[in-house]
């Protein structure tokens, strides 16, 4: 960003944006502040029931949360955190709905009883959209920033962000159900913004810094509301941080900073109105630091009386009596305020009784929404068009992404070094940035967590991200986001927020890549429920699976073996195939026979099956030359969902099975699969299921001779097959 642009991002917002709340808004805010306080009191009184499942409340934070709710519109997106029940009330949700989640009831509108209190996920016009976010502190910053990035990108594509239902609401002239009284600035949604609510303790997370870096770098329309009550759980601010969030933000030129009194509704409202006006005018991101008292427990399971000695000082900052006195000073009658408090109390008590009587979830539904239904269920298109030339795997991948970007304007592709002139360290994105522009194909900082986690926010807004982790060995910083945000979203939102994200990961060893560019990580990925894992072994499968993975409404990790990209490794020439047509797709979860056994050898009972994927296909092909016609090779192609039916059928056909992997063998996917085969096909087996993988070492050595000793190869596979066939 230029110095001029940076200074502009720090300039004050228009004076007109610093609006004071009107009389009617103050009245409604006062009632809702009493509502939030009454809920917290009730939960404490009824803790034998209310605390069965852990929860936190907004007590002490109500003023700034309600002020934030005032700023949000139907076209906006929000990422609350676990203490934000007052914010949700301010958006128009009933106490009853929040209580359904507190009690893990069937009709909990967010998760159907699957996740904690004040963990919303909502698509309900005319409320702002609230995608899933986890309890992990600070992690919402990345998906929320991804939402803002998608808003900016889709605006650039001329895509409006108002849903038809929200547009109808605007056109009807009805008031919004919560505290927001704003008229729409642009019914096309061009003024949409994101609210990321976060605690000050979470600001020390490295992933928050990644989010702020990208927000400033791309001047994204997002407000980070930092609620600072000076406590983590039992650790105080002076123990956890060297500076508060406002001081920390000075290190991000272009990030506008504001401070408000989070216990004062008027101060909070004015500051947040200024922040949102700045963001809606597209002047860049804003961080609002709000100092708040913590009047309740950290959570219902970590009680304040166990460790806190500052409760009296915090109580002096209670926002409720402060707002009460301000309203009295401005002319509200005591009787009116008492009536509003009584109305709030009555609503809370009535809603509690209704929530207690609500049904629990049907246990039979426990597995619903693991994945959204796949978009591709049958193979389609031309796998071997007449006259088509053979292509390398790397080119098939490039052409697949090119086809997608050309066909789907909502698609973008980003990661380290995939944009600009280079187009990826393997040239797998060569010239795509020049062809489609820097808004669609762009480089990111070295931020694996952001690369993966931002896809959750992107997808929630309607973009379709394709991202790349440069090497499999560097995926570990992204696991936080992959596990907590992406993998759980569909399940915990009852299917409202599946995440269609394609995550490309070059993988595998060949020719001296060394310990940080050669690893295989599929077993770790396969322990993550809620994601799909694809592993093509040739160019045609690469192209067909790439398109299917992009079209799938779930997170898909595509593992792409570096040693197969150019077919330079001896014995991998078959990875180069005739290039399929542009629309070719292969359903995920469908294995393929890479090499069939001779029917006569099969009839004689003198064959074996190799179940493998990736480079294993070529080790097995080379080894099988020592056993003409005796070896069938089943290429899994997708590891999750696994085509276990194909494995079972092939196992029963041969009776002898080798499961072959490039990973270290101990505790691997291969060993797990061997166990499943023995459990389900025991009576059809003529020998134990054999396994072969890399040596059980922590890394692959740089020296090529040491690498060769560690990895499987054709000779090692042949030795095992000889033993298996003779068993």
């Amino acid at each position: 960003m230029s110095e001029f642009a940076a200074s502009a991002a720090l300039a004050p917002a228009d004076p007109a944006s610093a609006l004071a709340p009107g009389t009617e808004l103050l009245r409604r805010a006062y009632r809702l502040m009493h509502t939030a306080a009454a809920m917290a009191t009730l939960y404490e009184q009824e803790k034998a029931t209310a605390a069965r499942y852990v929860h936190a409340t907004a007590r002490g934070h109500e003023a700034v949360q309600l002020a934030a709710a005032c700023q949000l519109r139907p076209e906006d997106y929000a990422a609350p955190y676990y203490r934000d029940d007052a914010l949700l009330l301010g958006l128009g949700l009933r106490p009853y709905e929040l209580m359904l989640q507190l009690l893990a009831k069937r009709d909990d509108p967010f998760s159907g009883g699957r996740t904690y209190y004040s963990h919303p996920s909502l698509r309900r016009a005319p409320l702002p959209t609230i995608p899933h976010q986890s309890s992990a502190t600070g992690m919402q910053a990345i998906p929320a920033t991804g939402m803002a990035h998608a808003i900016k990108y889709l605006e650039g594509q001329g895509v409006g962000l108002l849903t038809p239902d929200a547009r109808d609401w605007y056109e009807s002239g009805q008031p919004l159900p919560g505290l927001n009284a704003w008229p729409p600035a642009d019914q096309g949604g061009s003024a949409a913004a994101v609210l990321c609510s976060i605690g000050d303790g979470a600001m020390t997370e490295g992933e928050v810094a990644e989010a702020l870096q990208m927000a400033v770098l791309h001047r994204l329309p997002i407000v980070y509301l930092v609620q600072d009550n000076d406590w983590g759980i039992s650790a105080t601010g002076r123990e956890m941080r060297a500076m508060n969030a406002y001081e920390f933000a000075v290190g991000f030129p272009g990030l506008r900073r504001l401070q408000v009194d989070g216990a004062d509704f008027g101060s909070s409202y004015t500051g947040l109105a200024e922040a949102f006006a700045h963001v809606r005018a597209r002047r860049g991101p804003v961080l609002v630091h709000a100092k708040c008292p913590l009047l309740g427990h950290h959570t219902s399971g970590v009680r304040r009386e166990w460790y806190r000695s500052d409760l009296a000082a915090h109580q002096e900052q209670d926002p409720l009596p402060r707002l009460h006195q301000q309203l009295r000073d401005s002319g509200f009658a005591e009787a009116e305020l008492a009536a509003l408090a009584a109305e709030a109390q009555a609503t809370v008590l009535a809603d509690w009784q209704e929530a207690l009587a609500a049904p629990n979830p049907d246990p039979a539904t426990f597995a619903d929404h693991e994945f959204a239904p796949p978009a591709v269920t049958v193979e389609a298109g031309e796998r071997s068009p007449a006259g088509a030339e053979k292509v390398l795997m790397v080119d098939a991948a490039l052409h697949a992404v090119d086809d997608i970007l050309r066909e789907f304007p909502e698609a973008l592709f980003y990661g380290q070094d995939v944009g600009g002139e280079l187009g990826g360290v393997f040239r797998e994105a060569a010239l795509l940035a020049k062809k489609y522009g820097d808004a669609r194909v762009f480089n990111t900082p070295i931020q694996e967590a952001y690369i993966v986690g931002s896809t959750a926010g992107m997808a929630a807004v309607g973009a379709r991200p394709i991202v790349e982790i440069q090497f499999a060995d560097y995926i570990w910083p992204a696991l936080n986001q992959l596990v907590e945000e992406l993998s759980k979203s569909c399940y915990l939102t009852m299917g409202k927020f599946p995440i269609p994200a394609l995550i490309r990961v070059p993988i595998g060893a060949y020719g001296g890549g060394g310990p940080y560019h050669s690893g295989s990580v599929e077993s770790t990925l396969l322990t993550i429920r809620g994601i799909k894992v694809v592993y093509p072994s040739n160019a045609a499968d690469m192209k067909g699976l790439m398109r299917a993975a992009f079209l799938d409404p779930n997170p898909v990790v595509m593992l792409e073996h570096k040693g197969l990209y150019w077919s330079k490794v001896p014995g991998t020439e078959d990875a180069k195939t005739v290039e399929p047509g542009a629309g070719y797709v292969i359903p995920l979860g469908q294995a393929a026979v890479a090499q069939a056994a001779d029917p006569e050898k099969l009839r004689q009972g003198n064959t074996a099956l190799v179940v493998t994927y990736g480079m294993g296909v070529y080790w097995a092909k080379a080894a099988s030359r020592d056993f003409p016609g005796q070896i069938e090779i089943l290429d899994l192609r997708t590891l999750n969902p696994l085509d276990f039916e194909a494995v079972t059928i092939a196992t029963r056909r041969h009776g002898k099975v080798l499961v072959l992997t490039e990973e270290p063998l101990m505790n691997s996917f291969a060993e797990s699969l061997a166990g499943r085969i023995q459990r389900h096909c025991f009576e059809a087996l003529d020998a134990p299921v054999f396994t072969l993988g890399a040596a059980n070492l922590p890394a692959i050595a740089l020296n090529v001779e040491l690498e060769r000793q560690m990895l499987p190869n054709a000779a090692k596979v042949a030795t095992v097959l000889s033993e298996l066939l003779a068993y």
Side-chain angles (χ1 to χ4, degrees), residues 473-485:
D473 299 271
Y474 300 139
I475 199 171
W476 310 117
L479 285 198
N480 247 0
Q481 293 288 332
L482 187 62
V483 173
E484 301 297 349
E485 307 302 325

Side-chain angles (χ1 to χ4, degrees), residues 353-491:
Q353 293 304 315
E354 187 179 355
L356 288 174
N360 287 313
D362 179 356
T365 66
F366 81 102
D368 291 357
H369 306 296
E370 176 189 8
F371 289 113
V376 176
T377 56
V378 295
E379 187 172 0
E382 291 188 273
R383 183 177 177 92
S384 301
E389 296 183 354
K390 285 189 173 184
V391 293
L392 298 168
M393 273 187 71
V394 70
D395 290 333
L398 170 64
H399 298 163
V401 175
D402 191 2
D403 292 341
I404 288 167
L405 292 171
R406 182 174 60 252
E407 186 175 345
F408 299 95
E410 66 272 28
L412 4 63
F413 181 32
Y414 55 97
Q416 296 167 32
D417 299 304
V418 302
E421 295 292 329
L422 182 61
V425 295
F426 302 102
R427 302 294 285 158
E428 72 283 4
L431 303 180
L432 290 180
K434 286 191 172 183
K435 188 172 184 178
Y436 294 103
D438 292 339
R440 296 192 71 189
V441 181
F442 57 89
N443 291 325
T444 66
I446 303 173
Q447 295 182 344
E448 287 82 6
Y450 185 88
I451 291 168
V452 169
S454 61
T455 66
M458 288 269 190
V461 177
R464 294 294 293 258
I466 305 170
V467 300
E468 181 179 302
I469 300 296
Q470 198 164 77
F471 292 94
D473 299 271
Y474 300 139
I475 199 171
W476 310 117
L479 285 198
N480 247 0
Q481 293 288 332
L482 187 62
V483 173
E484 301 297 349
E485 307 302 325
L486 274 70
S487 74
K488 293 177 171 59
S489 183
C490 185
Y491 182 72

Side-chain angles (χ1 to χ4, degrees), residues 62-105:
E62 300 96 332
V64 73
Q65 290 182 21
L66 292 172
C70 294
Q71 315 305 323
L72 290 170
R73 305 175 182 170
E75 64 267 35
D76 291 339
Y77 289 76
Y81 86 126
Y82 59 83
R83 198 176 295 284
D84 281 356
D85 56 358
L87 171 65
L88 300 176
L89 292 173
L91 294 178
L93 290 157
R94 291 179 56 195
Y96 168 71
E97 295 178 288
L98 304 185
M99 292 168 179
L100 288 174
Q101 189 174 49
L102 176 84
L103 300 171
K105 295 289 190 172

Side-chain angles (χ1 to χ4, degrees), residues 77 98 270 322 488 492 568 574 583:
Y77 289 76
L98 304 185
T270 300
R322 290 178 67 178
K488 293 177 171 59
L492 292 181
K568 288 183 177 179
D574 286 350

Side-chain angles (χ1 to χ4, degrees), residues 531-574:
I531 68 169
K532 299 185 178 183
V533 180
V534 178
Y535 204 140
S537 67
N538 61 67
D541 287 350
M542 172 74 86
K543 193 165 187 183
L545 290 169
M546 183 80 76
R547 185 177 180 88
F550 171 78
L551 294 173
D552 200 278
N554 303 285
V556 180
V557 178
M558 175 166 276
L559 302 176
E560 306 172 18
H561 200 290
K562 306 188 302 294
L564 300 179
Y565 265 156
W566 296 294
S567 291
K568 288 183 177 179
V569 177
T572 63
E573 294 79 11
D574 286 350

Side-chain angles (χ1 to χ4, degrees), residues 521-529 531 533 639-640 663 669:
V521 300
E522 58 265 29
S523 289
T524 298
L525 294 173
L526 290 166
T527 65
I528 304 171
R529 319 306 172 193
I531 68 169
V533 180
L639 308 185
N640 186 35
E663 284 193 296
F669 163 70

Side-chain angles (χ1 to χ4, degrees), residues 269-289:
Y269 182 94
T270 300
L272 283 160
E274 181 180 350
F276 273 86
H278 184 90
V279 165
R280 294 194 197 281
R282 297 302 184 253
R283 295 174 180 155
V286 180
L287 183 141
V288 178
H289 177 241

